[in-house]
Amino acid sequence: MKPESQQYTWWEAGIRAGWIERYEQEMIRFMEEEFGRMNEDVRCALVFTSLFLKGGHTALPLDQSPGEWATILGLDHEQSAHLSDEKPDIERIKESVLISDTYDIKPLVLQNSLLSFRKYYNQEVKLLQWIKEKSENNYITDINTYIRGIFPENEGNEPDWQKVAAVLSAIKPFLIISGGPGTGKTTTIARLLVLHQRMNGRSMRVALAAPTGKAAGRMGEALTRELRRLNVPGEILKDFPREASTIHRLLSGTEELGLLPLVEKKKLRYDLVIVDEASMIDLNLMHRLISHLGEKTRLILLGDKDQLASVEAGSVFADLCRKKRNAFHRETLNFIRAAGIEDEIPETAHAGLDDSIVCLTKSYRFGPDSGIGRLAAFVKEGGGELELLDSIFKTYNDLNHEHFSFQQEQLDVVIKSLLNKLKESQTLYDPQKLLEYWKSSSWLAVLRRGLTGTDRLNRLMEQQIAAERIVPIENGWYHGRPVIITQNDYGLGVFNGDTGVCIRENDREMWVYVESGAGLRRIKPQRLTRFEPGWFLTVHKSQGSEFDSVNLLLPKTWNSLISRELLYTAVTRARKRFSLFGSEELFLQGIQNETERYTGLK
C-alpha cells in the first residue's frame, strides 16, 4: 500500500483539502464534456487560472511551477504537497484545443507565458486600445489666459504639480492624478473644474463618481467644501455637481438586462467624468466605464497607486501608474510652459500613457513633525531596519505601539473600551453626529476569518453587549450599533462599503441610517440583509474612509495578506493618531511583502 502522502493525485488531494472548489470541478467537467479529455498540464493550468482570478489576478504565469502558484495563493505546505515543483510544458499546453495565442475564439488565451480567460484578455486589450486613442494631445490656444488667477504663485522648490495636472487636463482626453493623503487631489480637481468652465464658456456636464458609496459621499462633500473655500462665484458654482455617485449607479442607465444586446450602446453624455479612489476599480468595472463614455467625454482618474488594489480581478490603477517620476514629452512640456509654468520639469523621450500621468508629491496634511507621515513614507519606501521602525514609533507623539497576541485579557481591554464608547453613544440621537462619533476612532484587522479576524471579533463584541445588558436589544438591534453594508442593494439605495448606525427613535422604533453618497438613507433594520457589525473592519473595508484615530490589529502569526499596500492603506486612514497592536517584526515583514498581481496590463 502506498504511503498516505502518495495515495492521491494533486487533483484528488486538492478536492479533499477544499482548495479546488466546486466551481473548478464543474468547469473541468464541462470543458472535458465539450472538448474532450485534457492532459494533466492543461487541467492544472485551468484550475489555477480560475483560482488566480479569484485571488485578484487576470492571468496565470506559466513560467512558474504549480508549487509556486500555490505559494502565491497562500496555500500551506500540506495543501500543496502533491503539486509539482517543475514548470509546466508550455508547448504541450499550447496544443490544447481550449487555448489560442491568436484571436481565434477559444476559451483561453496564451500570450507571453501568461494564460488568461478570453473575457479578461479581451477587456485588457480593449482598455489598452482605448488608452492609446486617448493619449493624443488636443491643443488649445491661450491656455495662460484661462488659467491665470486660478492657482497662487508657486513659492516652493519643486514644480506645482497640481497646476501641471490642471493644465494637462485641458489637452489630455484621459488623465491620471496619483497622490497620497493630503497631497491636494481635491484642491486640484476644484481648480481644474474652474479652468474647464472658463475654457468652455458654458455650463459643463460633469459627473463625479467613486467605486463605493462611502468614497462617493466623501468626494462630493470634500469637493463642495473646497469650491466654497476658493470663493468660486455663485453663477459658476451652481453648474458644478454637488454630490458624487457610485460608478455602478452612474452606469445603471446605460445597461439593460435581456437576452438580446442593445441595437446601439448607450453612452454617458458628459463633458467630463472624474472618478476618485480609482485604485479600487477592478478590470471588469473599468472596462464597463470606458465602454459607455461618450466619444468627446474626458476621463480623469484620481487615486493613490500605493494603496490596496481592487478586491476583484485586476489592479488597473497600479498597473497604469508605473512611471517613476514626473517627466513629460517635449511637445507636452511646451504646452505646460505656454501655460505660464516656468519650473524646471524633466523631459522624457517617451510619450503615450506616461505623458498622461501626474503624481502629486507634496503632503499638506502630514508635516515634518508628523509620525503618521513618517511611518507612511517608511512603509511606501520598503521599510528598513527593525531598530529604525522602533525609533519611529518612540519618537512621534501621534504613533503608538503595543504588543498584542490576542490573549483573553488583552481582548477584554479592547472590548471594554468599545463598551464604554457604546455607553457614551446612548445620549446621541442625531444620525449624522452618531456616525461622526464612530468615525473618530476605528479598529482595523488584516483578516476577516479565523481567530484574529473581524467576523470573530465582531461576534465577541456583540456577545459581550448582550451579556452585560448595556442597552436594550431587539432582534439583535440596539441604539448606537455601527454597521457596514457588504453588498449593493439598488432597491434600498445602499452599496457595498457604506456605513450606518442604528437609532432608537422616540424611545420606540429602531431605524438604521446609512451614509450612501452624500446623503443618509433611513431604513428599517429588517430590510437590511447584507451587512456586518462595524466594531471591527478589515483594512480592505476601510478604503475610502478616514478616521481621527486608527488601531491596527495584526494577527499572531505571519499571513501573506499582510502586505506593503495593506499596511500603507491602514496607516494612511489615520488623520491624528495611529496605533499598532501586534509584532513590529510582522509589520516589517509585511512591508517587504510587496503585492504582485499577474495581469496582461503590465
Side-chain angles (χ1 to χ4, degrees):
M1 183 175 177
K2 293 182 180 179
E4 186 176 349
S5 63
Q6 298 178 18
Q7 285 183 17
Y8 308 105
T9 64
W10 67 270
W11 170 256
E12 295 165 335
I15 293 174
R16 287 176 63 89
W19 59 265
I20 297 181
E21 299 177 355
R22 177 58 62 87
Y23 179 87
E24 282 72 37
Q25 296 172 45
E26 292 300 314
M27 177 188 70
I28 295 298
R29 182 191 62 78
F30 171 78
M31 288 194 172
E32 289 196 328
E33 283 182 358
E34 291 292 315
F35 301 98
R37 185 162 181 81
M38 59 187 74
N39 64 54
E40 286 301 293
D41 275 349
V42 173
R43 175 184 287 209
C44 189
L46 259 64
V47 167
F48 272 97
T49 301
S50 175
L51 294 176
F52 262 55
L53 192 61
K54 291 178 180 178
H57 312 270
T58 63
L60 177 74
L62 294 183
D63 56 357
Q64 298 188 42
S65 69
E68 290 172 308
W69 299 339
T71 300
I72 292 169
L73 293 176
L75 301 181
D76 60 37
H77 178 72
E78 185 176 344
Q79 291 174 311
S80 61
H82 295 77
L83 291 168
S84 172
D85 289 325
E86 295 184 6
K87 296 177 183 179
D89 187 337
I90 294 182
E91 293 303 318
R92 196 175 178 211
I93 290 175
K94 279 182 180 179
E95 294 172 359
S96 170
V97 296
L98 296 166
I99 298 167
S100 168
D101 60 357
T102 67
Y103 286 95
D104 292 345
I105 305 302
K106 293 186 178 179
L108 291 100
V109 180
L110 177 58
Q111 286 279 324
N112 300 323
S113 78
L114 291 176
L115 184 65
S116 306
F117 288 112
R118 177 163 292 280
K119 170 186 173 181
Y120 295 93
Y121 172 80
N122 288 346
Q123 287 181 350
E124 288 177 335
V125 168
K126 183 172 180 180
L127 177 56
L128 290 171
Q129 289 173 340
W130 182 88
I131 289 173
K132 185 176 181 180
E133 292 170 4
K134 300 295 182 180
S135 294
E136 297 296 326
N137 292 338
N138 297 327
Y139 293 108
I140 64 170
T141 58
D142 299 327
I143 180 68
N144 197 14
T145 303
Y146 295 113
I147 204 166
R148 194 178 299 140
I150 297 177
F151 285 84
E153 289 295 322
N154 182 23
E155 298 178 355
N157 296 324
E158 65 173 329
D160 185 346
W161 297 119
Q162 293 185 24
K163 189 174 182 180
V164 170
V167 169
L168 289 181
S169 73
I171 63 169
K172 298 289 185 183
F174 173 57
L175 181 66
I176 292 176
I177 302 175
S178 176
T183 52
K185 294 191 291 292
T186 303
T187 302
T188 304
I189 291 302
R191 289 176 168 149
L192 180 154
L193 284 173
V194 176
L195 171 63
H196 282 262
Q197 181 73 29
R198 288 185 178 181
M199 285 165 41
N200 280 270
R202 60 171 175 81
S203 297
M204 285 186 63
R205 296 165 298 177
V206 179
L208 306 177
T212 66
K214 180 169 50 179
R218 282 189 54 238
M219 181 190 189
E221 292 170 3
L223 187 57
T224 299
R225 190 166 55 244
E226 188 62 31
L227 286 166
R228 287 174 178 159
R229 191 181 71 82
L230 293 175
N231 294 318
V232 175
E235 63 272 14
I236 295 179
L237 188 61
K238 68 179 175 61
D239 293 328
F240 294 149
R242 299 299 179 90
E243 63 179 62
S245 69
T246 63
I247 301 174
H248 295 87
R249 190 182 295 168
L250 183 70
L251 294 173
S252 62
T254 64
E255 299 173 334
E256 295 181 8
L257 299 176
L259 296 176
L260 297 176
L262 296 173
V263 176
E264 183 179 357
K265 184 171 286 187
K266 293 184 179 180
K267 298 289 186 178
L268 295 169
R269 304 298 180 183
Y270 292 101
D271 297 305
L272 182 61
V273 173
I274 303 171
V275 182
D276 198 10
E277 296 290 351
S279 62
M280 299 166 66
I281 303 177
D282 60 88
L283 174 63
N284 186 52
L285 186 56
M286 186 67 189
H287 176 262
R288 286 172 57 198
L289 177 61
I290 64 164
S291 297
H292 291 284
L293 289 179
E295 187 177 340
K296 295 184 179 179
T297 301
R298 296 175 183 269
L299 175 64
I300 297 176
L301 299 182
L302 301 173
D304 185 347
K305 62 183 177 64
D306 298 302
Q307 275 194 30
L308 280 166
S310 59
V311 175
E312 303 298 328
S315 53
V316 176
F317 195 78
D319 284 350
L320 299 181
C321 292
R322 299 184 70 81
K323 67 187 290 185
K324 301 299 183 183
R325 59 171 186 158
N326 283 322
F328 302 95
H329 191 262
R330 179 175 297 177
E331 290 183 8
T332 303
L333 277 178
N334 290 338
F335 183 81
I336 293 173
R337 294 186 182 110
I341 300 177
E342 301 294 339
D343 303 299
E344 192 66 34
I345 298 177
E347 182 179 329
T348 178
H350 303 288
L353 174 62
D354 280 0
D355 222 34
S356 300
I357 300 173
V358 182
C359 297
L360 306 182
T361 56
K362 181 180 179 180
S363 176
Y364 297 89
R365 179 185 302 173
F366 302 130
D369 59 342
S370 167
I372 296 173
R374 178 69 185 91
L375 183 61
F378 180 81
V379 173
K380 189 164 67 172
E381 292 161 5
E385 297 296 326
L386 181 61
E387 290 76 11
L388 178 56
L389 176 62
D390 187 55
S391 173
I392 292 172
F393 273 107
K394 290 178 178 177
T395 301
Y396 295 94
N397 294 328
D398 58 348
L399 296 178
N400 177 53
H401 170 240
E402 294 186 27
H403 295 285
F404 197 86
S405 56
F406 288 85
Q407 298 297 318
Q408 189 59 52
E409 58 271 18
Q410 294 173 323
L411 285 172
D412 288 343
V413 171
V414 172
I415 289 175
K416 185 176 180 180
S417 70
L418 289 172
L419 290 173
N420 289 334
K421 286 205 70 175
L422 178 61
K423 290 177 185 177
E424 293 170 5
S425 75
Q426 298 307 294
T427 60
L428 297 174
Y429 288 89
D430 180 276
Q432 197 63 57
K433 288 182 179 178
L434 196 47
L435 282 164
E436 291 300 323
Y437 175 77
W438 288 122
K439 286 181 186 177
S440 64
S441 178
S442 181
W443 286 88
L444 305 183
V446 173
L447 306 176
R448 180 183 173 189
R449 297 182 177 85
L451 294 176
T452 64
T454 57
D455 285 354
R456 175 176 179 258
L457 294 171
N458 280 316
R459 190 166 57 249
L460 288 175
M461 180 65 193
E462 301 229 302
Q463 288 172 351
Q464 198 62 30
I465 292 170
E468 297 201 10
R469 300 183 179 181
I470 293 174
V471 291
I473 301 176
E474 296 179 13
N475 299 318
W477 291 94
Y478 50 87
H479 181 81
R481 186 191 196 191
V483 295
I484 183 166
I485 305 300
T486 58
Q487 187 172 309
N488 295 345
D489 188 324
Y490 291 93
L492 295 178
V494 296
F495 298 87
N496 183 22
D498 290 349
T499 52
V501 66
C502 180
I503 291 182
R504 182 188 291 274
E505 294 186 347
N506 303 319
D507 292 329
R508 292 194 306 275
E509 286 189 284
M510 295 281 196
W511 289 89
V512 180
Y513 286 83
V514 179
E515 196 170 34
S516 188
L520 292 178
R521 305 275 179 177
R522 184 173 179 261
I523 304 167
K524 290 299 290 182
Q526 55 267 31
R527 295 192 66 195
L528 286 177
T529 56
R530 300 289 185 175
F531 71 92
E532 295 172 357
W535 297 105
F536 297 88
L537 303 177
T538 61
V539 177
H540 279 88
K541 287 292 185 185
S542 75
Q543 277 189 282
S545 296
E546 289 180 350
F547 309 94
D548 288 339
S549 175
V550 166
N551 308 287
L552 175 63
L553 291 164
L554 289 184
K556 292 192 292 185
T557 56
W558 171 251
N559 187 290
S560 59
L561 287 177
I562 311 173
S563 66
R564 181 183 304 176
E565 293 78 10
L566 180 137
L567 297 176
Y568 173 81
T569 301
V571 171
T572 54
R573 297 311 89 204
R575 284 189 291 246
K576 297 179 180 178
R577 187 169 183 79
F578 174 81
S579 298
L580 173 66
F581 289 79
S583 163
E584 283 185 329
E585 288 82 359
L586 271 186
F587 189 87
L588 191 60
Q589 188 177 351
I591 294 174
Q592 293 157 357
N593 178 31
E594 189 173 7
T595 300
E596 181 172 11
R597 286 204 170 173
Y598 292 91
T599 72
L601 283 181
K602 284 186 181 178

